Every structure is written in C-alpha cells, then in structure tokens.
Amino acid sequence: ATMVLVSCLQRCIQLVLLPVYILVYLGLWDAFYKKVFPYIMAKLAPIYNHKVHKQKQELFSNLRQFAGPGGQLRLLEIGTGTGTNFQFYPAGCRLTCTDPNPNFEQFLRKNLSENPHLQLERSLVASGENLHQIAAGSVDVVVCTLVLCSVSSVDSVLREVLRVLRAGGAFYFLEHVAADRSSWTHFWQKVCDPAWKCFGDGCSLSRETQKHLEKTKFSELNLRRIHVPLRWIPASPHIIGYAVK
C-alpha cells in the first residue's frame, strides 16, 4: 500500500513538473541546468555551511596529522563545486580541485581569492569515477562532501579514492543519506526522489552510502550519523567521518 501511495504522489509531482520532464525527454534539460546549477549552489552552499559549521570544523580539525613526510598536506577534493570547504583547510595545503561541471570555475576562483592560505596546484574538469589525471598514491587526503549522493557509481568513486591515496592517507566525507525505512522522512525521500534528481543535478535522497563505505577496503572507518535541520527538505540524516587507507 505504501509503495502504491509513493507511486501516486510521484505521478502527481511529475504532472506538476511536466514542462521539465519534456525537456529531460528531449535531452535539453541537462545542458541548461548545468549552467544554472552553480548559481543556485553559490546561494545555497553558504546557508548549508552555516548549519554544519561546527561539524565541519570538528571533522577537518585533524587533517594535519595526515600530512606527508615533508610536513606538506596534498589534498584532493572531489566535486569541489564553489569551494565551500576551503575555509576549513589548514594553511599551506596543496590543493587539487575536481568537478565534472566547468561552470563552477568563476565561483571556485572567487572562493580561492578569499582563502589565500591555500595553494592551488590544479583545477580539473573530472568526475569522481575517473580521476586518471591524478597519479596513484599521490595525495595524502581526499575530501568529498555532498557528492556521493549524485555520482553514477559510489563504488567506482571509492575505488578511485583508494587508488590516488598514499598508504596511510585518509578519505573525509559528509553526505546526506537515506532515512530509516520505517520513517516518514524516508517515505518523502522516495516520493521526491525522481523530481529531486532533476533539480539536484542527479542527486538521490535515498542513497545508503554508508553501506558502500563499509564494504570498501579501508583499514579504518570512523563514521557516525548526524541530523542536520533542513526545513522542508527530506535530506536531514547525514553521515560524517573519515576512513584511512
């Protein structure tokens, strides 16, 4: 009965958003939205950052302990977007940024200019599933926040993370995930998922990312669930932590 109700409500949303679905069907939506999405994120990311500021500060507080032998920290961020994590990275950090959407570039540059304590080495147009431009074992830390919800294959991204990390390096993550299956939040996640993917650049509300992390061959996994108060958005359950190669 629940699945029937979910399906009916999905159809209602699709009816309301019919013009969007026509553009998706014609293959016109993606190219248009990839240009608009960075402007939306430039407005929304600071609001989200304010809500999780304390958690991010705590998460990134031990980044320096993963610095290489020379004391420098080589950090790769997957899905950098507008660069909202830059303020949390330690001074002198050697930064490589990747994002599949080149339209984020102007916002990325603006954020870099506001964070002169960082040293940008490279900014690459690349997806997390294919980081072939980055050598194996060449980075100390990989960071990925609110990205694994929208990649085509979480397992492929995590395989690339393990490949580019040096032995003893760390993968830092903060991701919204599926709520408990018996909860109303999960019900609304399933209802909103198809439409959400259109407006969230492929983002899924009900992905169980923790299961992918648990089965990846990290030597150590530090993971906890937190609740982020996001009004009217069924993406409040999050996982946060880091894993060591």
Side-chain angles (χ1 to χ4, degrees), residues 163-212:
R163 184 184 66 79
V164 301
L165 274 176
R166 65 164 174 82
F171 172 58
Y172 283 73
F173 55 87
L174 170 63
E175 299 287 341
H176 67 82
V177 293
D180 184 278
R181 292 190 179 199
S182 62
S183 67
W184 275 109
T185 302
H186 189 263
F187 172 82
W188 287 112
Q189 285 178 335
K190 299 305 284 184
V191 168
C192 298
D193 234 353
W196 191 267
K197 284 175 183 172
C198 293
F199 293 98
D201 201 20
C203 172
S204 171
L205 288 165
S206 56
R207 195 164 276 184
E208 297 179 325
T209 305
Q210 66 278 7
K211 291 183 177 178
H212 297 274

Side-chain angles (χ1 to χ4, degrees), residues 110-136:
K110 179 178 181 291
N111 245 324
L112 279 168
S113 69
E114 293 168 2
N115 290 277
H117 66 288
L118 301 177
Q119 179 185 336
L120 179 67
E121 291 214 319
R122 287 195 290 174
S123 179
L124 306 172
V125 177
S127 70
E129 293 93 335
N130 185 5
L131 300 170
H132 70 273
Q133 297 171 80
I134 298 163

